[in-house]
Amino acid sequence: MRILLTNDDGIMAPGIQALWRELADIGEVTVVAPDTERSATSQAITVHHPIRVDNHCIDDPPLCAWRVGGTPTDCVKIAVEALLEHKPDLVVSGINQGPNLGTDVLYSGTVSAAIEGALHGIPSVAVSLNTWRPADFGPAARFTRKLVTTMAAKSLPPNTLLNVNVPALAEEQVAGVEITRLGVIEYENTFERRQDPRGRIYYWMGGSIVDAANEDGTDVAALKKGKISVTPIHFDLTNYAIMHLIEEWKLTT
Ligand code: MN
């Protein structure tokens, strides 16, 4: 099994390193990852300047990777379309530091890399760990290994990926696995207005998550219960149910 591994936290991030080690003995893993952190870059691609690619190696275990001066989506595109000799059987993105839940998946570089894999017709999975603090990525990496093995034996419909969020808990504390739908993530106080040393005003986006109501069955609710959330995602954003309503507007040229 040929696995393409990428992320949005950058090639040096502990999450991708943990996954790299965990997946290395179940398939031929090729790492193609951004040179620096590219979180929250969504599906961005680099078209206005060149994309530099070089080799990055670690000693333990001895592995070499492609380090890309681009976004997670660039990484998957350039891997599949330029760097790799063979199309991968699977794209794995992560493990991200921090969750990718609900509406946040629209901003996520981690999820977008998996979307790019699915756009190329490759079964794909994005994995995130539900903490921003330094943590043990081992349990999430071991779950990903099991999931990837299952994915190799099953099949996903076209244009579909799995978005996985793992609680930052020891394995024995994890309350199970739930197949979920996307919930809602809302922020408050998003922009801080500040002054720079020369007296000019600037803004810094931050904010904190509002405890929005998320029903049972959502990814947000599953994480709160200490479960691993697995959400099948597709990217046809068409709202089929209301097409007829817009048709009734009788728009004309
Ligand atoms: Mn990230």
Side-chain angles (χ1 to χ4, degrees), residues 128-130 136-143 146 164-178 222-230:
S128 304
L129 186 66
N130 187 34
D136 180 9
F137 285 88
R142 288 188 284 277
F143 175 75
K146 283 198 281 185
V164 177
N165 282 274
V166 180
L169 298 171
E171 258 140 347
E172 60 274 16
Q173 291 176 301
V174 174
V177 182
E178 186 174 335
L223 260 281
K224 269 191 188 155
K225 289 185 283 189
K227 291 182 171 178
I228 296 173
S229 163
V230 178

Side-chain angles (χ1 to χ4, degrees), residues 30 44 98 121 125 131 171 192 217:
T30 307
V125 56
T131 180
E171 258 140 347
E192 275 190 41

Side-chain angles (χ1 to χ4, degrees), residues 20-35:
W20 190 354
R21 289 181 170 86
E22 191 64 41
L23 299 180
D25 62 344
I26 61 163
E28 184 189 312
V29 181
T30 307
V31 175
V32 182
D35 54 355

Side-chain angles (χ1 to χ4, degrees), residues 1 3 23 26 90 123 125 142-156 162 179 230:
M1 176 170 41
I3 300 169
L23 299 180
I26 61 163
L90 202 74
V125 56
R142 288 188 284 277
F143 175 75
T144 306
R145 177 199 172 108
K146 283 198 281 185
L147 177 63
V148 159
T149 308
T150 305
M151 284 176 78
K154 308 279 182 185
S155 67
L156 279 176
L162 298 179
I179 311 306
V230 178

Side-chain angles (χ1 to χ4, degrees), residues 7-10 34 36-46 70-75 96 100 104-113:
N7 75 345
D8 77 355
D9 292 339
T36 58
E37 182 176 349
R38 309 290 176 118
S39 290
T41 50
S42 185
Q43 207 76 39
I45 50 172
T46 303
T71 65
T73 298
D74 287 335
C75 290
N96 190 59
N100 278 302
D104 272 355
V105 303
L106 294 170
Y107 305 97
S108 167
T110 305
V111 177
S112 293

